[in-house]
Amino acid sequence: MKLYNLKYHQEIVNFEKAVKLGLGQKQGLFFPVELPAFKPVELLKILNMDFITRSTEILAKFIHHEISKKQLHQHVQEAFSFTRPLKVNITKNIDCLELFHGPTLAFKDFGARFMAQMILLMNKKHESVTILTATSGDTGAAVAHAFYKMQNVRVIILYPKGKISYLQEKLFCTLGENIKTISINGSFDDCQKLVKEAFNDKKLKELIGLNSANSINISRLLAQICYYFEAFSLLSEKKRKNLVISVPCGNFGNLTAGLLSKALGLPIKSFIACTNSNDTVPRFLSSGIWSPNKTVSTISNAMDISQPNNWPRIEELFNRKQWNLKELRFGSVSDETTKNALKELFKLGYTSEPHAAIAYQLLRDQLKQEEFGLFLGTAHPSKFKNTVEKILNHKIILPNALKNRINLPLLSYNINPDFKKLKQFLLDQ
Ligand SMILES: *Cc1c(COP(=O)(O)O)cnc(C)c1O
């Protein structure tokens, strides 16, 4: 697969290079030169396949020139070796797609684990690699666990101090070994900026074999396409007809993957781009003006991002497919309304968490009579135990993935959002 740099179209790389670089020159994102699509008969065929075989077919559509199907199948199996997405019935016309049954209890396991497999495959000479990534909560855990104890790989994760949940922090800041975590005295956007600065430093990049694991990495996006197909395959003929998928967005990687699944031929009628009060995209879609505000903290902290990195990819995809951005539905939800949505879901017999509750709220508000709605359950409620328990007045039981880590000491370093400090750390540690 050839990919071009959205900020510098002359830069064209293959999949391997794009995975290794993360970002291109001028901090541009990579985007496929050709957008593959399944023919209707192919689509029917793959919808009947099991999750692993179908996911292999989907990924092969993009990268079969570089990785054989057989090899890909092995790596997909390894990456998605946990419970596949589960569909839960919420109301007559709304289902939730639970994507949080992986080792770190959030959908980020799909992308992070597939990326780890790709880096493993591509590091033929066993050179040392440094994975540097910023997290608003869940990426960190997924990436840390995906690369834990992997040889020749050092993982450094930046997160905003005090702005991720206690359990989120416990999940990945207690591992040690090849996983180093740094809390930054700032916001997620500050963390993201530091990562970009590191990538701009050519010498540093070469010296430590820098690689990014953000949702900007193309391998993560491709992996996430697979569960949209799985969701579709789990629906009845009738529900497939007017399907609306509601996506809780932060960096907009998940939505990008959803839109790519549509570009591949999956007949999804519409998507809803959902945010919390960090509503740069909803404001942009209604006014045409891009004006990020300062990031504010909310109870859906993994979505506390006001400068979503993946947005240029979405615009490019709409341009390339000649889709109209007006067809993208959107909305933002305050903390108050999120809490009410969570309570409403609970009354319906479903215990959820703030991110999914936002997607549910906008779906129920915007769903038309003839449509069927699916909202994405992006994290397990236990990751936000304290918040959820307080809102619902209901005890949340911790799954083993969390119970096993809760008493371990935090091993994080702490620095100010100062690139010099980060650079020193990268060179010294
Ligand atoms: C990361 C995350 C999101 C946002 O996903 P993006 O791909 O960054 O838009 C939503 N919910 C949860 C629980 C997350 O961890």
Side-chain angles (χ1 to χ4, degrees), residues 232 235 239-245 268-270 372:
F232 198 85
L235 294 173
K239 290 178 174 182
R240 289 178 182 180
K241 280 226 172 76
N242 284 297
L243 179 61
V244 178
I245 301 186
I268 296 162
K269 180 178 175 189
S270 194
F372 184 79

Side-chain angles (χ1 to χ4, degrees), residues 106-108 138 215 248-254 302-303 355 378-379 384:
F107 77 94
K108 303 234 166 53
D138 290 328
S215 54
C249 298
N251 229 349
F252 282 74
N254 207 352
M303 294 158 69
H355 306 79
T378 43
F384 307 94

Side-chain angles (χ1 to χ4, degrees), residues 253-269:
N254 207 352
L255 181 63
T256 308
L259 291 163
L260 282 170
S261 77
K262 182 168 169 152
L264 270 169
L266 200 63
I268 296 162
K269 180 178 175 189

Side-chain angles (χ1 to χ4, degrees), residues 4 6 31-36 313-323:
Y4 58 100
L6 288 182
F31 194 84
V33 171
E34 272 168 47
L35 290 168
R313 281 185 171 136
I314 293 186
E315 285 196 330
E316 185 76 358
L317 183 58
F318 272 80
N319 276 335
R320 291 273 306 276
K321 296 298 288 184
Q322 296 179 310
W323 294 340

